[in-house]
Amino acid sequence: MFFHQTATAEDLPAEVILSPDTRRAERIPPGQSRTEKWPVLDASGPPRLSAEQWQLALAGLVNTPTKLDWKQFLELPKVKVYSDFHCVTRWSKLGNLWEGVSTRTVVEAAGGLKPEAHFVIAHGYDGGWTTNIPLEMFLAEDSLVATHHNGEPLALEHGGPARLVVPRLYAWKSAKWLGALEFIEHDRPGFWEKNGYHMNGDPWREERFGY
Ligand SMILES: Nc1nc2c(c(=O)[nH]1)N[C@H]1C(S)=C(S)[C@@H](COP(=O)(O)O)O[C@H]1N2
Ligand SMILES: [Mo]
């Protein structure tokens, strides 16, 4: 499939969901610079994890607490999303084609959410790493649990076999090695948020630190 880092809607197959930011004339948020490479960034490196061992737990304020294994996860309908990726350390990687399962579909696999659910804690397999995300951002049309990037299975260093991707927020909210999604009523800081990173993290508003 043809695509490019600065592809526009016209260049992409109709089935691809475009993140709204990819339609902006200026795609680099304030204080960011563009990188062509894809840097690897995480707190403690990849866990030892094969797809066969991988499970995704859907917990907290879901109607039916559920664990999906790799095979069950792959049976869910897929989406493709074209989006930009902004790291709070000031690099931006434009034009990523992600493939995986929409966060909306993931939530349906647990029978939907209880009405009190307002935030999500995404848990990584890397030793208790977490991040908190407002439900509205988590459930945006372009948020997904991704298994592929630019047509290739997601590399372990980038969060394979499956990572969360929340294109509307800084990249630290896109949990690699996703192991559990915990739906909660009251916001609670995750790993970086406890260290001062922003509870929301909108790159266009430079929500780098604080509330
Ligand atoms: N599980 C987990 N997810 C994580 C992290 C981490 O340490 N553990 N780091 C975050 C940070 S700070 C960034 S910038 C992005 C980087 O993703 P990349 O390494 O694929 O570029 O992953 C995010 N997701
Ligand atoms: Mo980051």
Side-chain angles (χ1 to χ4, degrees):
M1 179 196 299
F2 173 79
F3 60 88
H4 185 264
Q5 289 219 2
T6 50
T8 57
E10 296 74 49
D11 303 320
L12 291 160
E15 88 251 22
V16 177
I17 295 166
L18 281 108
S19 283
D21 287 347
T22 63
R23 299 183 189 273
R24 290 177 187 247
E26 174 51 73
R27 283 166 59 177
I28 309 287
Q32 297 290 115
S33 334
R34 184 161 173 198
T35 172
E36 300 281 342
K37 290 176 301 181
W38 188 7
V40 172
L41 233 123
D42 48 61
S44 58
R48 285 168 187 266
L49 180 69
S50 68
E52 290 68 39
Q53 297 165 315
W54 182 89
Q55 282 196 326
L56 177 60
L58 306 170
L61 299 171
V62 291
N63 287 321
T64 317
T66 302
K67 271 188 184 172
L68 299 170
D69 65 20
W70 186 241
K71 188 169 164 285
Q72 293 166 322
F73 182 74
L74 292 183
E75 282 163 6
L76 298 174
K78 305 289 185 305
V79 288
K80 287 179 181 166
V81 171
Y82 180 75
S83 63
D84 298 339
F85 197 62
H86 311 292
C87 177
V88 73
T89 62
R90 300 189 182 275
W91 53 264
S92 290
K93 181 168 167 53
L94 302 185
N96 303 279
L97 187 70
W98 303 100
E99 187 178 345
V101 178
S102 163
T103 50
R104 296 177 183 181
T105 304
V106 170
V107 159
E108 280 167 31
L113 296 176
K114 303 219 162 119
E116 316 87 82
H118 296 306
F119 298 91
V120 188
I121 306 281
H123 296 253
Y125 272 98
D126 48 337
W129 191 92
T130 55
T131 187
N132 54 311
I133 305 150
L135 187 65
E136 191 192 337
M137 293 290 119
F138 174 83
L139 289 180
E141 187 197 19
D142 52 341
S143 294
L144 76 162
V145 178
T147 58
H148 288 71
H149 177 268
N150 289 355
E152 302 285 340
L154 194 58
L156 177 66
E157 58 183 4
H158 287 298
R163 81 178 296 166
L164 184 62
V165 178
V166 182
R168 300 181 194 208
L169 300 177
Y170 280 121
W172 90 79
K173 302 284 187 180
S174 290
K176 308 205 280 192
W177 314 297
L178 186 64
L181 293 166
E182 179 192 354
F183 296 87
I184 57 174
E185 181 170 5
H186 302 290
D187 204 4
R188 209 167 75 204
F191 178 86
W192 284 120
E193 293 83 1
K194 278 182 200 153
N195 289 287
Y197 280 33
H198 204 280
M199 295 292 270
N200 184 51
D202 180 343
W204 296 94
R205 298 168 66 181
E206 285 206 71
E207 291 176 344
R208 297 174 189 275
F209 305 104
Y211 280 74

